Amino acid sequence: MPADSDEGASAANYREGRLHSQAHRVEGTPEAPAGEVRGTEERYWDPGRGEPMPIRRLPEAPVALHLFGPAMVLVALGVGLGETFMWPRLVIIFGPQIRWLFLIGVSLQAVVMLEMARYAMATGESIFFGAARIAKPFMWFFFAVAILVYIWPGHVSLGAQAFEYMTGIGWLGTAIVGIIIMGVIYTVAKYVYSILEAVLSVLIGLLVIGSVIVAGIVGTWHQLWATLYGLVSFGYMPKAAMSAAWFPVIVGSIAFAGPSGMQQMWYTLWLRDKGAGMGAHIPRIKGLIHLDEEEETMPSRGFMFDTEDRDEMRKWRDWRRWVSFDAILLFWGITMLVTIVFTILAQAAGQINPHVIGVIKGGDETAAISAIAAAYKSAGGTVLKLVYLGFIAIVGWKGTFGIFDAFARGQSDMTYYFIPGARRFSMNKLYFGFLYGVMAFGILVLLFGPADGPASVLDILAFLSTFAMGAYCILLLFTNNLLLPKRIRPNMIVNVILAAGAIFYLGMLFYSLFRFGVVVG
């Protein structure tokens, strides 16, 4: 860029600094070498909080129309036990009209996804780093929540329970073997993100295609219409749904509508490893057996592009189109398709097996799985029943597979940058320390934890998940409006939606707490 662009119009946005050119070469990566070094002159974006960000070039964005990427990872985690277990349970009790709450939840999550991407692609930093720039206690809150919420092997154990219904093999051993397989896959991978994306994309593909086919066999056109009508039945709330027994369950289920808890925050780390936007300037996480290969230096902060440069803004708009396709068509579209399918299946289950309503009200949470499996069997025999149970087994395993990776990424990112002395270890080593640690803890919980089975873990986690979601809506308002240049900040409509999201999550949570004295079902 011409030297005179540093003055005049850009002076309000950037401040000048001087670094040795050798340092710039260290900070670059083989895929995206550091650039824009004119002698010893270096330009920075100073967000006013934390270390300034050196100016680098944005890479060219890929074609907007695509099938695989960080959104598919988020979809694979978001389309989980909320869609296949928790919401079908509510449909069996209250009917498909209750799903309007799901529509609001998942639509809000699509906006959150775009705003998480805004910060991550503009800076190459995780949203946790952004939280630390605002106030370090804000970041440590999420560090603690991740430990409290995501060290429990609830998803894989419930999936293993479905596998037990299929095969008769005890769920405990299957869950432990499943966790060990996860560790082996991550250890031998060349790049961890690449194997994560490949495995989860295949599994979500099997789930979506298979469930659509089976719903076409089991369901009716009337049930499809009732499902679509239920998604827009705004305001429907039967009296029983506002009771102490069920309102906290609904709050927890809304938290599990799409990606729950901190999954959206981890999405910023997957974007970085994908090389989206300025994430191209940040090294990737490698598999443990590949750590002896040449290791890239992790920069001490992210980067920024020149928002006064027309060509850079063109590339930024291309990146926004790319991630908008992710959010609207892949994330929102696939999630809605799956939830429509499983709402149809839940209605069929309630009709074929009416006594399940009483069983669920009596506290047997896994009755929803048994009822839907019975509907499959009634419509197409034992084979279809096994297919459905296979879906639940896949959902449970893939959920824990992705969550363990995401937990390790988030904790290692915060540890590396903000715990004194942690940088004597590489980011890769910290990642595997957290990964193997959470896997070992999960196995210990399975062996020596509560004896009442895995399903109750989901409701126990709902409070902190909902609280984290309200908190990150507030966080995005700060990071994207205070830390980014004005030309790439969100507009007023987006800010209003984020504020409404914070009120939506935290309002329901604290209403449940003060009205009923409980936060989970």
Side-chain angles (χ1 to χ4, degrees):
M1 286 180 284
D4 60 3
S5 69
D6 297 349
E7 309 296 339
S10 298
N13 288 342
Y14 302 100
R15 74 183 179 94
E16 299 294 322
R18 290 180 178 272
L19 293 176
H20 294 296
S21 59
Q22 176 65 29
H24 306 315
R25 284 190 285 273
V26 171
E27 290 168 350
T29 69
E31 295 85 357
E36 279 226 89
V37 179
R38 298 189 308 276
T40 57
E41 289 274 330
E42 176 71 271
R43 301 173 61 226
Y44 292 82
W45 162 249
D46 183 11
R49 292 172 171 81
E51 188 177 351
M53 306 176 196
I55 303 301
R56 294 289 186 271
R57 286 284 188 184
L58 265 174
E60 292 286 349
V63 177
L65 300 178
H66 59 284
L67 293 178
F68 302 105
M72 289 302 292
V73 176
L74 193 61
V75 169
L77 289 185
V79 177
L81 294 176
E83 287 68 25
T84 60
F85 171 64
M86 298 180 76
W87 279 98
R89 178 179 57 175
L90 291 177
V91 168
I92 290 173
I93 297 295
F94 299 113
Q97 297 95 320
I98 200 71
R99 295 303 290 258
W100 69 274
L101 289 167
F102 183 93
L103 176 63
I104 290 178
V106 78
S107 298
L108 176 60
Q109 287 298 308
V111 176
V112 169
M113 176 181 172
L114 284 168
E115 290 311 296
M116 290 286 182
R118 185 188 301 274
Y119 186 80
M121 293 196 306
T123 66
E125 295 178 354
S126 71
I127 196 64
F128 303 112
F129 202 116
R133 286 184 179 274
I134 297 298
K136 285 186 179 178
F138 212 167
M139 182 206 70
W140 292 123
F141 163 76
F142 291 110
F143 188 94
V145 167
I147 294 175
L148 291 172
V149 175
Y150 292 102
I151 59 175
W152 310 98
H155 291 79
V156 70
S157 54
L158 193 59
Q161 192 170 69
F163 189 75
E164 179 179 350
Y165 294 156
M166 291 174 61
T167 64
I169 299 173
W171 69 268
L172 178 60
T174 301
I176 292 173
V177 170
I179 291 176
I180 293 172
I181 291 173
M182 296 174 200
V184 172
I185 291 174
Y186 284 133
T187 300
V188 302
K190 170 71 173 179
Y191 288 107
V192 170
Y193 173 79
S194 297
I195 194 68
L196 176 76
E197 181 182 277
V199 170
L200 292 185
S201 295
V202 169
L203 293 181
I204 192 63
L206 290 174
L207 176 68
V208 171
I209 295 172
S211 61
V212 168
I213 292 173
V214 176
I217 298 173
V218 174
T220 66
W221 288 108
H222 174 74
Q223 290 166 348
L224 173 60
W225 168 250
T227 297
L228 296 177
Y229 179 76
L231 287 172
V232 294
S233 297
F234 300 109
Y236 172 80
M237 189 66 71
K239 185 176 180 180
M242 296 300 296
S243 67
W246 284 103
F247 187 78
V249 174
I250 291 173
V251 173
S253 297
I254 291 173
F256 281 88
S260 62
M262 293 171 59
Q263 292 173 21
Q264 287 273 21
M265 305 185 78
W266 293 327
Y267 172 64
T268 63
L269 292 161
W270 294 321
L271 280 170
R272 187 171 75 184
D273 241 26
K274 183 69 173 179
M278 299 306 285
H281 298 277
I282 310 294
R284 305 170 67 185
I285 299 291
K286 294 181 178 179
L288 189 64
I289 66 173
H290 297 283
L291 294 190
D292 291 336
E293 301 173 8
E294 183 179 356
E295 192 165 351
E296 303 165 75
T297 301
M298 184 68 67
S300 62
R301 70 289 168 264
F303 301 92
M304 180 56 66
F305 63 96
D306 186 352
T307 59
E308 300 297 323
D309 185 292
R310 290 184 179 180
D311 192 54
E312 292 293 273
M313 287 302 294
R314 173 194 62 80
K315 289 185 283 186
W316 173 250
R317 288 189 291 271
D318 289 343
W319 277 110
R320 291 298 290 175
R321 279 191 286 270
W322 177 83
V323 78
S324 295
F325 180 85
D326 260 15
I328 297 170
L329 290 181
L330 294 185
F331 168 75
W332 191 91
I334 293 177
T335 303
M336 288 306 301
L337 175 61
V338 172
T339 194
I340 287 170
V341 167
F342 277 89
T343 301
I344 293 172
L345 296 175
Q347 292 178 80
Q351 292 177 5
I352 294 171
N353 193 5
H355 78 279
V356 73
I357 296 176
V359 176
I360 294 177
K361 287 182 177 179
D364 187 352
E365 296 181 326
T366 59
I369 293 178
S370 300
I372 298 177
Y376 272 54
K377 183 176 181 179
S378 176
T382 302
V383 172
L384 284 188
K385 174 183 177 181
L386 295 177
V387 167
Y388 170 73
L389 293 173
F391 289 163
I392 299 298
I394 289 174
V395 164
W397 189 87
K398 75 173 177 59
T400 298
F401 182 70
I403 285 172
F404 279 178
D405 164 78
F407 172 84
R409 283 178 187 274
Q411 301 307 92
S412 60
D413 184 80
M414 289 181 274
T415 299
Y416 180 85
Y417 286 114
F418 299 106
I419 291 184
R423 295 193 194 182
R424 65 183 178 213
F425 305 102
S426 68
M427 183 75 80
N428 282 278
K429 291 177 181 177
L430 290 171
Y431 168 86
F432 278 100
F434 280 108
L435 182 70
Y436 293 149
V438 73
M439 288 179 173
F441 181 83
I443 291 173
L444 290 175
V445 168
L446 291 172
L447 290 172
F448 306 109
D452 57 352
S456 60
V457 174
L458 297 177
D459 283 340
I460 293 173
L461 303 184
F463 167 64
L464 284 174
S465 292
T466 311
F467 192 55
M469 294 164 82
Y472 68 49
C473 286
I474 297 173
L475 173 61
L476 285 170
L477 286 169
F478 284 111
T479 56
N480 291 0
N481 288 285
L482 297 180
L483 303 181
L484 300 181
K486 288 184 178 180
R487 295 189 68 182
I488 59 173
R489 290 176 186 173
N491 60 37
M492 182 59 68
I493 295 175
V494 170
N495 286 329
V496 168
I497 293 174
L498 290 176
I503 295 171
F504 181 65
Y505 290 121
L506 298 178
M508 288 191 305
L509 185 67
F510 287 108
Y511 175 82
S512 176
L513 176 63
F514 293 114
R515 174 68 176 82
F516 302 116
V518 291
V519 292
V520 295

